[in-house]
Structure formats: C-alpha cells, structure tokens
Amino acid sequence: MGAEPLSDGEREVVAAAEQEARKLHHGRLGTEHLLLGVLSRPDEPGARALAKLGVTLAPTRAQVMRIVGLPETPSPPALTQTPMARSALAGALREAIEVGRTTVATEHVLLAMLRERDSLAVRILRDAGVDPRRLREEIAAAAAAPAGGDAAPDADPMPDDGAALGAHVLLGVLAAGGPAADLLRAHGVDEAAVGALLRDRP
C-alpha cells in the first residue's frame, strides 16, 4: 500500500477484492480482484455502469479463474498488492477530484484502473468489448442517478455457501478448457447446466 491511508470507498473495494482473491485461492491482490470488488457492490455507480455495458460479477469471476487459475493452496494470511493495483488505488483520489468530488468512492477506483492499460482488469474489460470512453460516460451517468432499480442483473452477492462457490469453480474450469473441461462435458456438465443450477438456487 502507499503511504496515504485508504478512504472508505477504497477500503470497501479492497475488502471485497481480498474476499474474492481468497475465494479463488490467489496469492496476491491484483487489478482483476479490484474489478471483482467493484462488481460485487451492484448498487454502486461503478458496478451499475459496468452492467450497462454487459459486464457483471459471475462471468467476470469465471474469466479471472480462467486466466489466473484456481490453485489448490489457500491464499496466504496477508495478500500483497501488485504494483498496478497499488497505482490504481493511489490514482483514485485524482479521479475523484477530476469529477469534482472530495471523497473517493468505488467508481473512482474503477476509473483509476482504466489508466492501467496493461493491467489484467483492463484486458478483461477489453475482451468483453468495453470501450473505456463509453465506460467513463456510463460511470458519470450512474453517479448522477440515484441507486436503486439499476443494479447488475446477476447482482451476484459473493457466494458464501459451498454449492454456489462450487458452481462458479465449474464455470472457471469449463472456460479454461482442457482435459478437466472435456471430462465435465462428457458427463453432461456444461455452462448451461451450471447456469441452471445457479438460477435454481433459493
């Protein structure tokens, strides 16, 4: 972390990002986890803007699993932030000031991440067809609108139960391909089947 203390908005994103990283057994906190942290708060402007562009939590989590993997070993007690994650958090205040705010919110962390053009978060957004300029416009619109019925359609609160987490792990394996995915498909387990399992949850 940098020398400056984190704002409430940054702490919220970092806490959610750490939770996501630990669920995936990842050993450090990167921009991809910050992105998941933003998406995990569907009522916030950042997640609402991403949802407008078709980016929601569950598919993005599966994409992170596909790229980074799902190690067997749990995360260490302390997660080190990658340089790009630290840079994004450090730039969030500048983003807030540029839009006339004096406090940092989750959407400002997202805006700062967009400046880290070589980061995994930007790669994921680019692969999803997100244009950074359009995303900035959607963030501004979402920040000006009241929170409410505009939440992400899959509003996937990070699953704490084993069945939901297992379903997301299966999605990650299927997305990654390879022998494990082939074995699942041979037994009738594909994206549609896992999606149905998640939809049928109470």
Side-chain angles (χ1 to χ4, degrees), residues 58-140:
T60 305
R61 185 190 289 124
Q63 178 74 340
V64 171
M65 282 192 285
R66 185 186 72 79
I67 296 172
V68 182
L70 186 71
E72 294 183 4
T73 305
S75 304
L79 295 180
T80 301
Q81 294 174 3
T82 64
M84 286 187 180
R86 287 197 301 270
S87 178
L89 290 170
L93 177 59
R94 178 181 62 186
E95 295 292 343
I97 292 171
E98 285 187 1
V99 294
R101 301 299 176 91
T102 56
T103 57
V104 174
T106 56
E107 63 269 24
H108 304 131
V109 177
L110 176 58
L111 287 168
M113 273 192 284
L114 292 177
R115 295 186 184 271
E116 303 299 323
R117 297 178 182 174
D118 295 326
S119 68
L120 185 49
V122 169
R123 171 185 165 185
I124 290 170
L125 292 174
R126 185 168 57 240
D127 289 349
V130 173
D131 175 64
R133 185 176 303 173
R134 173 81 187 282
L135 178 54
R136 285 182 174 274
E137 293 172 353
E138 291 292 349
I139 290 171

Side-chain angles (χ1 to χ4, degrees), residues 22-37:
R22 292 186 186 284
K23 284 178 181 292
L24 301 178
H25 290 186
H26 292 169
R28 84 286 181 273
L29 192 78
T31 57
E32 65 275 21
H33 304 113
L34 293 177
L35 177 60
L36 293 176

Side-chain angles (χ1 to χ4, degrees), residues 5-30:
L6 295 179
S7 69
D8 289 343
E10 289 169 310
R11 277 195 293 270
E12 290 173 2
V13 173
V14 170
E18 286 190 357
Q19 192 173 356
E20 285 286 349
R22 292 186 186 284
K23 284 178 181 292
L24 301 178
H25 290 186
H26 292 169
R28 84 286 181 273
L29 192 78

